[in-house]
Amino acid sequence: MKNKQAGSGVCWWYQLGLGLGLLLSAALAQAQVAIESVSGSIQSGVEVVRIDLSEALSALPAGFSIQSPARIALDFPDVISAIGRSTIEVNQGNLTSVSVVQAGSRSRVVINLKQSTTYKAQWQGKSLLVVLDAVASSSPAPASQLFTETQARGVLPLRDLDFRRGDGGSGRVVVSLPNSQVGVDIRQQGQLLVVDFMKTSLPEGLRRRLDVNDFGTPVKTITTTQAGDRVRMVIEPQGLWAHSAYQTDEQFVIEIKPVKEDSSKLTQGPGYGGEKLSLNFQSIDVRSLLQVIADFTNFNVITSDSVTGTVTLRLQDVPWDQALDIILQSKGLGMRKTGNVLWIAPKDEINAKEKLDLESAAALQNLEPLRTQSFQMNYTKAAEVAAQLTATGGGTGAGASSSRLLSPRGSVISESRTNQLFVTDIPSKLEQVQQLIAKLDIPVRQVLIEARIVEASDTFGKSLGVKLGGSAGSQPATRVGSGGVSVGSTYVDSGGTTTGSFVNLPAIGQGGYEPATFALSIFSSNLNRFLNLELSALEADGKGRVVSSPRVVTADQIKALIEQGTELPYQVASSSGATSIAFRKANLKLEVTPQITPEGNIILSLDINKDTVGQSTAAGFAINTKHIQTQVLVENGGTVVIGGIFEMTESDSETKVPLLGDLPGVGNLFKNRSKVSNKQEMLVFITPKVLADKAVR
């Protein structure tokens, strides 16, 4: 009996403590501020979100905006949610819904919009009114535009507009503003990026559409027009991209960066890009924590039954995808993403399931029915594509088919007459073949290569000589020197005239011409003797230039050859003694293989010959050769000198009679002088140019 009384006493004290705890919890709940209701409405054409709280806060909640998806997030510290549901559907005007998420003692209200816009928040008693500015398509002007209009009343022209390629393949649009007070409104409309410069005008020189697709950035076109009292710029990117904008003094820069898509990532872009949240839990069940994150995001979470345990964490303003990654790593869990559904399970379980799926897919390929599909080749030969589809990596065993695109049951037939390809395989492999052909069967870009071979020569030659002799005779006669003039008279007797030559050093011919001569005879009547003097001189000066310009058009990475010249015959004797005629070429030849780089430059592998017929020999004509072989990198449309040969020959010779030729003055009658100076130079210029499709046609 006593034990029963003691037991009942303990039970009474337990009930009393439990009741006090409940009363204390209720008192604390009543003392803490709570969000009681959230609603959305349109008042006088303005969209308003009304958040009713149990008590008014001393300050406005901190908030931020997200452009894609369009959202406005407001954080209420030390405020709980008493609504009872996490999402309130509105679907009115620009509003779609409002989400309320509680994390510990902190609540976040997320306003989901159709298009991003700015907002104003103000207290009205215990209610917080969030007034949304009208979107760009609506008549009311945003608050930023109204602020700009009050700052600058006049319309000022933009000074300049430029596009540049940034680091990492990004595109940068640089706009020079008239002053630093110009308001700028930037927004995304579908796949376009629209930028409005308030209270500005566009000069005629800047009203144009820029096609910047060749810069290799996400930006395709930039169209700038005048729209009322503002300048509107429409940027058309392509692929996956992200943009940022900043202003420095009077320069406004819009940068569009490429984003590589990774289907396994929760949010696209570099690093973590989810909305930030704060979590503070002590020994919370992992499954419940994952459900909190699922309520905060647009993803559906499926948790495996083998996920168990608790976790204690404190995260402050961390992207939700990073928070999820931290939780999974701490518990040894893995994740697989399919659309907007996340499957979370231990890593071993995920690996085992994926292995089973791969084995099932491999077994299914052996049972899946085959299909035959034809592919029409337009620019590529069907036989070449067939060889690539059935190519093997060499070796034996399983490694021999490592590079084979078709399945073991697949086959391919090429038909050369119609240039078609017939592939028989399972549907998944046929789709891969179609994607490969779409990348291979494309027109090859054409390149025009023009070479200029310039040969310049400058020759100079000079020669001076003399002939000195004597004669005897009794009858006067007139003597005429070759090519010159003879002065004086001679006497020749009945027995004839006796002559003699003491010095015979005439001038040397230049350029295939004989030198000019001047002869003089001096007669002595007492001695009956004649003294004959003949001077010869020749000077030649010549300049010449030969320009050869072969040009050829060829496809990218295809060797091209063009040549012109003469083939010289010569006799060839065989071992049996018989002779035959063979030919040697003396040609101008250009052999080139171009390669277009991704940047638009051109790599040229060149082999150039400039051969001419030389002098005649006993065995036939000689061939004068000039040859250059090299590889160069040239910009599209640029010109480069790939090589040259400069040759100079100078000679100064003198022939004289010993002793007599050294006499001052008179010694010139016993000398022969000649001087030769020849200069020859060859330069090779190369100009490649990528032809557009219209130019090729």
Coordinates of all heavy atoms in Angstrom, one line a residue, residues 8 135 187 208 362 392 416 557 614 640 696:
S8 N 2.1 6.7 -6.8 CA 1.2 7.7 -7.3 C 1.8 9.1 -7.0 O 1.5 10.0 -7.8 CB -0.1 7.5 -6.5 OG 0.1 7.7 -5.1
V135 N 7.1 45.5 -64.3 CA 8.2 44.9 -65.2 C 8.3 45.8 -66.4 O 7.5 46.8 -66.6 CB 7.8 43.5 -65.6 CG1 7.8 42.6 -64.5 CG2 6.5 43.5 -66.4
R187 N 18.1 43.3 -67.9 CA 17.2 42.2 -67.6 C 17.3 41.2 -68.7 O 17.7 41.4 -69.8 CB 15.7 42.7 -67.5 CG 15.2 43.3 -68.8 CD 13.9 44.1 -68.6 NE 13.4 44.7 -69.8 CZ 13.8 45.8 -70.3 NH1 14.7 46.5 -69.7 NH2 13.3 46.2 -71.5
R208 N 23.7 50.4 -85.2 CA 24.1 49.2 -86.1 C 23.8 47.9 -85.4 O 23.6 47.9 -84.2 CB 25.5 49.3 -86.5 CG 26.5 49.4 -85.4 CD 27.9 49.5 -85.9 NE 28.9 49.5 -84.8 CZ 29.4 50.5 -84.2 NH1 29.0 51.7 -84.6 NH2 30.3 50.4 -83.2
A362 N 23.7 -3.9 -71.0 CA 24.5 -4.7 -71.9 C 23.8 -6.0 -72.3 O 23.9 -6.4 -73.5 CB 25.8 -5.0 -71.2
T392 N 39.0 -0.2 -85.5 CA 39.4 -0.8 -84.2 C 40.7 -0.2 -83.7 O 41.5 0.3 -84.5 CB 39.6 -2.3 -84.4 OG1 40.6 -2.6 -85.4 CG2 38.3 -3.0 -84.8
S416 N 29.1 3.8 -103.1 CA 29.8 4.9 -103.7 C 29.1 5.7 -104.8 O 29.3 6.9 -105.0 CB 31.2 4.4 -104.2 OG 30.9 3.4 -105.2
Q557 N 43.6 21.5 -94.8 CA 44.4 20.3 -94.6 C 44.5 19.4 -95.8 O 44.7 18.2 -95.7 CB 43.9 19.5 -93.4 CG 43.9 20.4 -92.1 CD 43.6 19.5 -90.9 OE1 43.9 18.4 -90.8 NE2 42.9 20.1 -89.9
G614 N 69.5 26.8 -117.6 CA 70.8 27.4 -117.5 C 71.6 27.3 -118.8 O 71.1 27.2 -119.9
V640 N 53.5 37.5 -95.3 CA 54.8 37.2 -94.6 C 55.8 36.9 -95.6 O 55.6 36.3 -96.7 CB 54.6 36.1 -93.6 CG1 54.3 34.8 -94.3 CG2 55.8 35.9 -92.7
V696 N 33.5 31.1 -102.5 CA 33.9 29.8 -103.1 C 32.9 29.5 -104.3 O 33.3 29.1 -105.4 CB 33.9 28.7 -102.1 CG1 34.1 27.3 -102.7 CG2 35.0 29.0 -101.1

